[in-house]
Amino acid sequence: MTPDQELVLLFGALHLVALVFACVLFWMFMRSDTVDPWQPPDEDEGGGGGGNDRLSDPPRRPGPGGVPLPDAVQSSERFRGPGRLADRRQWPVRREHRPERTPHRTPERV
């Protein structure tokens, strides 16, 4: 048998197995019982339960503010108001440092 014939035979067998598998699934689907759609129980059947299954609302957290902590210290700057907070403070003037020496060349070694 040539390799081409073996490849055709292998693919044919795989297709045959897949066809048998599909037929088995289709046969199981056709034999299955039909299911009636779900209907809620009538009131006289005593379905039990009833009421609301949701939990009550969780307790609300207190809003911001209130009594400050015992170790709290009032800030010297306020975050409210016009302008930027960085512009309210005087920053120290930067020193400008320039080197005063001039570079010199060293003689090349031979």
Side-chain angles (χ1 to χ4, degrees):
M1 217 179 210
T2 65
D4 291 339
Q5 290 174 340
E6 288 179 4
L7 189 63
V8 169
L9 184 64
L10 179 68
F11 278 118
L14 286 175
H15 278 83
L16 185 62
V17 168
L19 183 64
V20 168
F21 183 68
C23 288
V24 168
L25 285 177
F26 185 70
W27 178 71
M28 288 173 59
F29 173 72
M30 293 305 287
R31 285 187 43 93
S32 66
D33 295 334
T34 59
V35 178
D36 295 331
W38 181 83
Q39 295 176 356
D42 293 333
E43 294 294 326
D44 57 345
E45 289 183 18
N52 192 353
D53 60 346
R54 295 185 182 148
L55 297 174
S56 63
D57 291 337
R60 297 181 58 104
R61 292 181 45 194
V67 178
L69 298 175
D71 60 343
V73 178
Q74 182 70 30
S75 174
S76 61
E77 295 288 333
R78 303 246 331 151
F79 290 110
R80 298 181 202 158
R84 292 180 35 198
L85 189 62
D87 295 338
R88 292 183 182 201
R89 183 173 178 190
Q90 290 289 338
W91 296 99
V93 179
R94 295 185 75 181
R95 293 185 300 161
E96 207 173 299
H97 178 67
R98 294 186 186 194
E100 301 205 5
R101 61 188 171 102
T102 58
H104 63 281
R105 292 186 177 202
T106 58
E108 294 182 19
R109 297 185 187 179
V110 178

